[in-house]
Amino acid sequence: MSARIAPSALSADLGRLREQLAQIEEGGAEWVHVDVMDGCFVPNLTFGAPLIRALKKLTNLPLDVHLMVVQPEKYIDEFADAGSAVFTFHPEATTHVQRQLVRVRERGMHAGLALNPGSPLSLVEEVVEDLDLLLVMSVNPGFGGQRYIPSTTPKIRRVRSLLDSRQSGAILEVDGGITVETIRLAWEAGACTFVAGTSVFGEKDPAGAVARLKAACATAV
Ligand code: DX5
Ligand code: ZN
């Protein structure tokens, strides 16, 4: 199994989006990560469904949509219609988590939950069977360019054990401060999918940056 890389559009040059997408595809990226922020759940405001529709015209890579919004249930239909492949929301932002996960799957998207650094695994234990993806935040959500929080590595190990103990095929994704150094830690702890913003689109050669991140896992233990 090789590491799956999902570069984050939040760090891309939106004025050169077609070119930037072609570069990450050339580097072997498998997904495009899209950070949707509402200025309420997190102190930043980014994109809505119109960007998903635009990305669908520019790339065939699956769109891995990460909603950092309150009441994410309000957006399930709109993001499904726009072409999202993965719809990941925060259990800290809604009341009826299990109902929303079922709804996301009914709309044909992969259902994901994202855990803030300060949030315990107990928030997801009752709904593991309803999950296609579990995203472990390695930074507090809201901005790109932050540093990986070291306590994330043992948390990834615990998530790995939880998923394995429940025979879950859910994807374990890590998001925030991923570099060629920190990706090794997260990969060795049991993650398989990695969001990378600054370490890809902040580089002169995004294609090479994606390849280096993948190589860092391939040469890890
Ligand atoms: C932060 C977002 C991340 C961020 C990653 O709230 O969820 O996806 O864009 O960017 P880097 O890789 O620069 O930390
Ligand atoms: Zn994200």
Side-chain angles (χ1 to χ4, degrees), residues 11 97 154 201:
S11 296
V97 173
F201 290 119

Side-chain angles (χ1 to χ4, degrees), residues 70-130:
V70 295
Q71 296 182 297
E73 59 271 17
K74 294 192 307 190
Y75 305 101
I76 295 174
D77 290 326
E78 189 184 355
F79 278 83
D81 295 342
S84 309
V86 182
F87 184 100
T88 298
F89 61 96
H90 283 253
E92 306 96 337
T94 188
T95 310
H96 304 292
V97 173
Q98 201 275 344
R99 176 186 287 158
Q100 310 317 346
L101 290 169
V102 170
R103 180 84 186 112
V104 169
R105 281 180 165 174
E106 283 172 351
R107 286 306 321 267
M109 298 179 285
H110 293 298
L113 283 180
L115 279 178
N116 284 340
S119 293
L121 271 59
S122 58
L123 273 183
V124 301
E125 278 171 5
E126 300 305 325
V127 294
V128 169
E129 283 68 30
D130 304 298

Side-chain angles (χ1 to χ4, degrees), residues 8 10 33-37 64-68 135 137 141 175-176 195:
S8 169
L10 185 65
H33 185 80
V34 184
D35 291 305
V36 177
M37 303 179 187
D64 172 37
V65 183
H66 176 195
L67 287 100
M68 289 155 277
L135 187 152
M137 293 298 306
D175 185 7
V195 176

Side-chain angles (χ1 to χ4, degrees), residues 133-150:
L133 181 143
L134 186 46
L135 187 152
V136 177
M137 293 298 306
S138 38
V139 298
N140 287 293
F143 304 94
Q146 300 181 81
R147 293 177 73 85
Y148 178 96
I149 298 171

Side-chain angles (χ1 to χ4, degrees), residues 10-22:
L10 185 65
S11 296
D13 177 348
L14 298 180
R16 296 187 299 118
L17 199 50
R18 184 188 295 277
E19 180 191 337
Q20 298 251 269
L21 291 167

